[in-house]
Amino acid sequence: MVRRTDGPRRRTLQDVAEALGLTANTVSRALNDKSGVSASTRALIKAEAERIGYVPNAHARSLVLGSRKTIGVILTDLANPFFNDLVSQVEELVITAGYTLLLLLSDEDPERERAAVETALRSGVDGILGVPVQGRSNPWTSVTNAGIPLVLIARELPELDVDFYSTDNETGRRLGVEAAIERGARDIVLVEEDLRISTVTHRLEAFRRSLEANGIPFDESRTVLVPSRRTSRNSSLWRGEDAYRVISDLLDTGRVPEAFLVGNDYFGLGLYAALRERGVRVPQDTLVLGWGDYPFSRFLDPPLSTMRLPAVGIARRATERLLALIDGTAEPGTVTEYFPPELVLRGSMNR
């Protein structure tokens, strides 16, 4: 754990005024687009306010009036059951602590992410829990520049010195590979979403390392990438037919892997259908292990073995940390914590 001794503070209107040698009244009039300030001075003031991370309007009023007792939560979507469970736990903890929750969604869109961050800041939130899109731009620096506590969840931004809580994807993938090997599988295929985010990247890398650690050479034929729907607005996050199509293509080559590890349980639905159509039995002919432990998984035939994700534990620890940063009972610093998923064995791995 690395501690910072003098973390950022909230920027004030007076900071802008002092930096430019102007009065606070002039700065206030310029930022609120009132008369009595020349166009050139107004532009200078707004540029300086943006540079130092000062956020006007509702946030400025909250600095005068004190805490607004609001926590911002910015997620990529709510179709992901992991985020659904996470936000439910966050809301319970936030309300118990006497705060209200402002929930904003980016829909995996960098522009909507930027708008969500700006909305949270202008709403005068006391702190933010966020899941970044991980696009080319990084609007989250405006949060840290404004001195507002920020805790990231699930996806990391190494360029920011902030707290981060996530599933231990390395351990999860290793447990899955070892479970398949223990049941006699050597030809193991990973089915993952084709999306460049840190969670998917870490699982792909962990899969490769786990195979090699067990003496199984890795090559590209051991991974199947399912086209992502996350960049299509108003589309459901995952559909079984997406995995069905790519896995059908694999099976139609005549290859039947001894085990499939899938990136989410929805992909397991498509996998089951593709296998069933071709007379491939689970678990007799091939093993299947999901990821997520969604409510339907135990009702499949055979019941789907899977990795149960620690959404509640992550939500609890991240929220407690954010609240402590807000009320000053925790030192500003950088805490990174990974929570291991749980291997849930059911019929699809029962060989």
Side-chain angles (χ1 to χ4, degrees):
M1 182 186 303
V2 178
R3 295 289 188 187
R4 291 194 302 268
T5 57
D6 55 345
R9 63 177 177 83
R10 296 175 186 265
R11 303 303 181 180
T12 68
L13 184 146
Q14 188 63 38
D15 290 330
V16 181
E18 290 178 357
L20 297 174
L22 300 172
T23 66
N25 180 60
T26 298
V27 172
S28 177
R29 296 186 69 83
L31 294 176
N32 288 285
D33 292 321
K34 293 183 178 180
S35 62
V37 183
S38 69
S40 59
T41 300
R42 188 187 309 276
L44 184 65
I45 290 171
K46 288 186 176 182
E48 179 64 18
E50 181 176 359
R51 186 189 71 80
I52 71 171
Y54 170 70
V55 183
N57 300 333
H59 180 57
R61 289 194 295 271
S62 74
L63 294 178
V64 175
L65 299 174
S67 170
R68 297 189 68 185
K69 304 291 284 186
T70 302
I71 300 295
V73 177
I74 303 177
L75 303 178
T76 52
D77 58 74
L78 279 179
N80 186 333
F82 174 83
F83 291 144
N84 212 313
D85 292 343
L86 186 141
V87 76
S88 295
Q89 179 66 23
V90 169
E91 182 178 32
E92 180 180 332
L93 294 170
V94 163
I95 291 175
T96 300
Y99 287 78
T100 57
L101 184 146
L102 174 64
L103 177 62
L104 299 163
L105 302 177
S106 68
D107 285 336
E108 299 288 354
D109 184 328
E111 290 305 314
R112 293 192 66 174
E113 177 184 50
R114 181 174 297 279
V117 170
E118 291 176 355
T119 297
L121 292 177
R122 293 183 180 277
S123 298
V125 295
D126 297 281
I128 295 178
L129 293 170
V131 178
V133 172
Q134 292 185 318
R136 294 181 179 179
S137 61
N138 180 9
W140 301 93
T141 56
S142 61
V143 180
T144 55
N145 286 343
I148 295 175
L150 170 65
V151 174
L152 295 181
I153 295 172
R155 303 181 191 177
E156 59 192 343
L157 292 175
E159 64 269 28
L160 286 186
D161 190 22
V162 297
D163 302 293
F164 176 63
Y165 297 84
S166 179
T167 300
D168 185 347
N169 292 286
E170 175 84 25
T171 295
R173 272 290 162 252
R174 177 179 56 78
L175 291 175
V177 169
E178 291 176 351
I181 292 173
E182 288 170 1
R183 287 157 180 78
R186 301 286 291 180
D187 183 9
I188 305 170
V189 167
L190 175 63
V191 182
E192 268 292 358
E193 184 177 9
D194 190 6
L195 187 66
R196 293 184 179 180
I197 57 175
S198 59
T199 48
V200 173
T201 298
H202 290 165
R203 291 200 294 265
L204 288 168
E205 292 174 350
F207 175 67
R208 174 184 57 79
R209 286 193 294 268
S210 297
L211 289 180
E212 293 175 346
N214 285 278
I216 301 176
F218 175 84
D219 61 64
E220 295 303 321
S221 70
R222 294 194 180 277
T223 58
V224 174
L225 297 181
V226 180
S228 178
R229 288 180 174 269
R230 301 199 202 200
T231 55
S232 300
R233 192 167 296 176
N234 299 323
S235 176
S236 60
L237 179 60
W238 297 304
R239 291 183 183 175
E241 58 261 35
D242 298 326
Y244 167 82
R245 283 192 290 269
V246 296
I247 294 167
S248 293
D249 291 341
L250 170 65
L251 296 173
D252 287 343
T253 67
R255 179 186 176 192
V256 179
E258 296 170 310
F260 285 93
L261 309 183
V262 298
N264 64 76
D265 289 0
Y266 283 106
F267 289 172
L269 295 176
L271 171 60
Y272 267 34
L275 293 171
R276 190 178 304 113
E277 285 183 0
R278 290 155 181 80
V280 180
R281 301 167 301 168
V282 179
Q284 295 91 336
D285 302 323
T286 189
L287 303 170
V288 179
L289 179 67
W291 186 275
D293 194 22
Y294 301 153
F296 62 80
S297 301
R298 65 190 181 95
F299 297 108
L300 298 181
D301 183 20
L304 180 63
S305 300
T306 187
M307 302 300 301
R308 181 176 295 155
L309 304 184
V312 172
I314 291 173
R316 180 179 298 115
R317 196 70 61 86
T319 304
E320 290 173 348
R321 173 67 176 170
L322 183 64
L323 292 171
L325 289 171
I326 291 170
D327 65 25
T329 58
E331 293 181 36
T334 303
V335 176
T336 298
E337 189 170 357
Y338 297 94
F339 295 72
E342 175 188 355
L343 175 63
V344 179
L345 293 173
R346 300 187 179 114
S348 68
M349 292 284 286
N350 188 21
R351 179 182 294 173

